[in-house]
Amino acid sequence: MRTSQFLIATLKENPSDAEVISHQLMLRAGLIRKLASGLYTWLPLGLRVLRKVEQVVREEMDAAGAQEVSMPIVQPAELWQESGRWEQYGPELLRIQDRQGRDFCLGPTHEEVITDLVRNEIKSYKQLPINLYQIQTKVRDEIRPRFGIMRSREFLMKDAYSFHVGQASLEETYLAMHRAYTNIFTRLGLDFRPVIADTGSIGGSASHEFHVLAGSGEDDIAFSDSSDYAANVEMAEAVAPGAAPAPTADMEEVATPDVKSIEDVAQFLQRDPATTVKTLVVDGEEEGALVALVLRGDHQLNAIKAEKLPGVATPLSMADEAKVRKLCGAGFGSLGPVGLPMEVIVDRSAAALADFCCGANRDDAHLVGVNWQRDVPLGRVEDLRDVVEGDPSPDGQGTLLIRRGIEVGHIFQLGTKYSEAMQAQVLDENGKNVTMTMGCYGIGVSRVVAAAIEQNHDDSGIIWPAAMAPFQLAIVPLNMHKSEAVAQCAEELYSALREAGVDVLMDDRNERPGVKFADMELVGIPHRLVIGDRALADGKLEYKGRRDADSQLVEREACVDFLLERLRG
Amino acid sequence: MRTSQFLIATLKENPSDAEVISHQLMLRAGLIRKLASGLYTWLPLGLRVLRKVEQVVREEMDAAGAQEVSMPIVQPAELWQESGRWEQYGPELLRIQDRQGRDFCLGPTHEEVITDLVRNEIKSYKQLPINLYQIQTKVRDEIRPRFGIMRSREFLMKDAYSFHVGQASLEETYLAMHRAYTNIFTRLGLDFRPVIADTGSIGGSASHEFHVLAGSGEDDIAFSDSSDYAANVEMAEAVAPGAAPAPTADMEEVATPDVKSIEDVAQFLQRDPATTVKTLVVDGEEEGALVALVLRGDHQLNAIKAEKLPGVATPLSMADEAKVRKLCGAGFGSLGPVGLPMEVIVDRSAAALADFCCGANRDDAHLVGVNWQRDVPLGRVEDLRDVVEGDPSPDGQGTLLIRRGIEVGHIFQLGTKYSEAMQAQVLDENGKNVTMTMGCYGIGVSRVVAAAIEQNHDDSGIIWPAAMAPFQLAIVPLNMHKSEAVAQCAEELYSALREAGVDVLMDDRNERPGVKFADMELVGIPHRLVIGDRALADGKLEYKGRRDADSQLVEREACVDFLLERLRG
């Protein structure tokens, strides 16, 4: 391709409304343009990248035995009413009426449509398992579209749905999808982690998210420094430390006038927050009951873990302070486990403390030198907290690191949530009707493009991983319109490289060298070959990899082989 | 691909609600399934066909210098208000509101969005011409969706838009698109005609439709039996025949009691309708004026031609009969040009008659032996009628045939309709603002699939042209699950052919031979190789082309070469 025949729409200025680097660079490099809030047009350069991602996804899905289909974007309300989601889904679901006044929605996802298709087409266990996918534009009316295509209202998604008789078959396909996703993101050259995820409101039994690690991610990912273990911070288990050491101090009460937060208490008493505990009172499962959750002062309560515990209300809700004061004789900042008139659940790390500090259940007073069993019974011990960096990895290998991640994929054992609601059944080996088990598997295809940029860029612009680059190589002839030698050499190499199957962009614009260099770096072409009169007179050309600090001279005669070698690299 | 791992969803019964053969066969062969009125899911087999069409379209568009982009499906109302189409477009435009209550529509076409993009990105004539296209799902809320994907509410379309300074540049790209479309439909193996089309309500100066010829088409296409000439019947010129012969009869009035229609008059007077004329009275251009249009009895008035004539009201409207009776003394069935008190426009063929019959301008009476000039002045002679088969081709080469056609493509010189309304300007060579000229070019990608079936099928099912076939070749092993020899031979050939780059479907289902044969014919695989124990014992296999009456035996050893030769076609 020649830039003279290809829309290079780079911008010099940083767009003012782009908050994250990928959004800025996608606009500046001319990959996308905004049509309206959360709606973007993909320009030719951007679309080339998107199509490359799409193709890798397709190849790996096909290789994993999935079959591609294409379902409508517009979906009838009836199916959503059957599954119950017509009521449950909020205003993110864009609802429309056709000219006859019938209700439809624009598909944010296709569980209902595929379940309807499969219950009509598949009658016997012999036809299972089946895994159907599509790569399609989805619509979600985000309340606050932002970060460009990272959280847009239209986006390209690969969504797959598998159907099974029984859990074992589901788990087999789930594993195949886990491998396919790993292949996809590996081939795309991304630093990613498959992380154990919360199954959240979709329901179901097991779930992994695939996260591209990048500082701008919206999720915190905890992963081992020496194994494959990775989980959303909210899902990572905080493993139990050893037992508490023996007591060395006596329990005593100290005055802490107007000192309430852990930070203030620690500072006031000049001790490490890690040697204090905080006591949070939440509503119990039974009407009117209260439960105390005790954590180390430097740890954060993990609401997801807490609300899964028997005895704790779901969703988790903090108790009413007046009610607590009436019962315990103190406000939130002065509570402690000693003599607390309610069930006390102690986090594993808090349970390993000795000589700790806690509220005295009297305002303006704390206890120090407190020890479990000696001063207060240690009842239930549970995992109540978010993991922190340095915690041991739950798989027993190495310690945890925590990084930000951008979710680009999600695989999910759905179970029978949809198939039961929509009566999707087949005949089993015994001729008996059984409800199919389902899995679903998504990749945010357009989001992958943004995530790749968040992970791979520098001050000059995008640095595409090889598999995603819109072009593999840029030929930049200098003064091509004046120097016949340069023009001839450029044309020869352009032909030779194209014949060798290389995706070349030839920058034949009549622009200053500086403009061409800046543009090619901004749009992130991985390899660059500069053809200039001076070096050419010595039979040499200038090569620079996008991540290289400096360029190097290459013999013109050896140039094609040199480049092919680099491209294989 | 193996049928055991690929969804073959053939139906034995003809679906009751499918009116046309392509719709029936697409359902029966398991290419599509209906989700709701006008909304279809493409199953794996159908999607393979659709993707092949898509890829041919993409390759030829790219080869013609067009650049692929991808615009949102959801479009803001503001742009449609700017172009004026928000008001003009009927309920086919599916309008929606987002959660903030802002107006949007689902794009049936993208003139507004692309014009907005180009006016923002393109500033100078140096960046022109540019031709941008996308292959995308479009939504039109058809009042009566029918014929399956032929007239559905969601469909896949290739839409391209070109921008120019001046008409000459537009015409160059228009011609390039004409060539690209010709290449596309030729490569797809379809019998098609690029036909001169009416520019209709879109406005603009020139337009061709690309029609696939098929009996079920909705349009009548007139084309020469010996040249490239083709036009929509409504657009084809009816060339002037020679002058009228000399009179041989006297004019006389005959009684025709209660005889009004041409058929009745001809039968009553025992003459050929081609020797009679009919006189239609329409409203004139000026308020209250009437104009008579005179055609040969066997010809049909062409409203499009008539309403383009000076003096005739647009849109064409028949005059009020009471008003005509008052002025002429007779009703519609008894009118004739002799002594008619209004302007008379005579069709070219009617003007070439002698001794003809016409209404007498008195009820229940006709004139016979009427001759122009002798009995009634011959004033304006114009082309007023639809062409009929056997008419000379307007380009002077051969005579016209008329066939039904299915419109699958449309190219259009839009001119400045959108660029003017939306102020899409660039600086020209003199630094002056000029409004860009536009062309637009559509292909109904999904409709091409249906049209191909309408043109290529028999009683057994679909007969795919090679370029569109979901698989090139079916291997049908008989009793594969019992005969090791058959299974081994099938596996060997499957591997060998796949290695040779052939798209093979191996029917490894445990089904009766009859079921397999019927399925492979129904889904239309162009080539079939049967492996059976008996022939195999003699070292032979059975080959049958989808259009062949009988199968032939092929030496097993020579089989791969034989097939590759056939596939090369």
Side-chain angles (χ1 to χ4, degrees), chain A residues 5 7 33 40-42 44 47 51 67-70 72-74 91 96 98-99 121 141 143 153-154, chain B residues 5 7 33 40-42 44 47 51 67-70 72-74 91 96 98-99 121 141 153-154:
Chain A
Q5 287 155 32
L7 184 61
R33 284 295 181 263
Y40 291 86
T41 291
W42 289 79
L47 192 62
R51 291 267 184 267
Q67 300 182 47
E68 191 173 356
V69 297
S70 175
I73 294 168
V74 176
I96 55 177
D98 73 358
R99 62 198 289 165
E121 297 301 321
D141 198 1
I143 189 162
R153 299 204 279 184
E154 262 188 43
Chain B
Q5 288 155 30
L7 184 61
R33 284 296 181 262
Y40 291 87
T41 291
W42 289 78
L47 192 64
R51 291 267 184 265
Q67 300 181 47
E68 190 173 358
V69 297
S70 176
I73 293 168
V74 176
I96 55 177
D98 73 359
R99 62 198 291 163
E121 296 303 319
D141 198 1
R153 299 204 278 185
E154 261 189 43

Side-chain angles (χ1 to χ4, degrees), chain B residues 58 132 256 381 403 562:
Chain B
R58 178 172 289 120
L132 300 170
T256 51
V381 176
R403 293 285 180 278
F562 171 85

Side-chain angles (χ1 to χ4, degrees), chain B residues 2-43:
Chain B
R2 295 164 190 272
T3 50
S4 58
Q5 288 155 30
F6 190 81
L7 184 61
I8 299 292
T10 51
L11 305 175
K12 286 203 186 64
E13 303 297 321
N14 235 343
S16 59
D17 61 339
E19 298 167 54
V20 295
I21 191 74
S22 61
H23 188 192
Q24 290 165 14
L25 287 175
M26 290 186 78
L27 289 168
R28 282 191 53 209
L31 305 184
I32 55 169
R33 284 296 181 262
K34 181 174 165 177
L35 171 63
S37 172
L39 298 173
Y40 291 87
T41 291
W42 289 78
L43 299 183

Side-chain angles (χ1 to χ4, degrees), chain A residues 174-301:
Chain A
Y174 184 83
L175 204 64
M177 286 295 101
H178 193 291
R179 278 193 299 263
Y181 277 39
T182 300
N183 292 345
I184 288 166
F185 298 117
T186 303
R187 279 182 63 183
L188 292 175
L190 299 172
D191 185 11
F192 71 97
R193 293 288 184 289
V195 311
I196 301 161
D198 180 34
T199 51
S201 60
I202 314 184
S205 48
S207 166
H208 280 84
E209 290 170 2
F210 285 73
H211 281 261
V212 168
L213 300 183
S216 58
E218 293 187 276
D219 292 279
D220 281 315
I221 309 304
F223 57 96
S224 166
D225 62 1
S226 42
S227 78
D228 278 347
Y229 179 85
N232 235 309
V233 158
E234 53 191 24
M235 287 297 291
E237 183 190 355
V239 298
T248 64
D250 292 333
M251 179 168 83
E252 57 177 318
E253 185 173 314
V254 293
T256 50
D258 270 341
V259 176
K260 295 209 164 63
S261 74
I262 287 290
E263 292 72 34
D264 293 347
V265 170
Q267 201 180 3
F268 183 80
L269 299 177
Q270 299 207 321
R271 47 194 299 163
D272 184 345
T275 67
T276 69
V277 305
K278 54 187 169 192
T279 305
L280 307 166
V281 182
V282 300
D283 290 323
E285 210 161 6
E286 276 173 43
E287 183 69 32
L290 296 177
V291 177
L293 307 175
V294 175
L295 292 106
R296 227 168 68 180
D298 59 330
H299 285 156
Q300 294 300 319
L301 175 68

Side-chain angles (χ1 to χ4, degrees), chain B residues 27-90:
Chain B
L27 289 168
R28 282 191 53 209
L31 305 184
I32 55 169
R33 284 296 181 262
K34 181 174 165 177
L35 171 63
S37 172
L39 298 173
Y40 291 87
T41 291
W42 289 78
L43 299 183
L45 196 67
L47 192 64
R48 285 180 79 95
V49 178
L50 189 66
R51 291 267 184 265
K52 292 202 175 183
V53 176
E54 189 181 323
Q55 192 51 27
V56 169
V57 171
R58 178 172 289 120
E59 285 170 14
E60 292 296 332
M61 290 301 292
D62 289 345
Q67 300 181 47
E68 190 173 358
V69 297
S70 176
M71 294 178 263
I73 293 168
V74 176
Q75 307 183 3
E78 288 78 6
L79 292 180
W80 286 69
Q81 283 154 354
E82 244 189 283
S83 76
R85 289 210 294 177
W86 189 255
E87 303 301 327
Q88 290 156 21
Y89 224 104

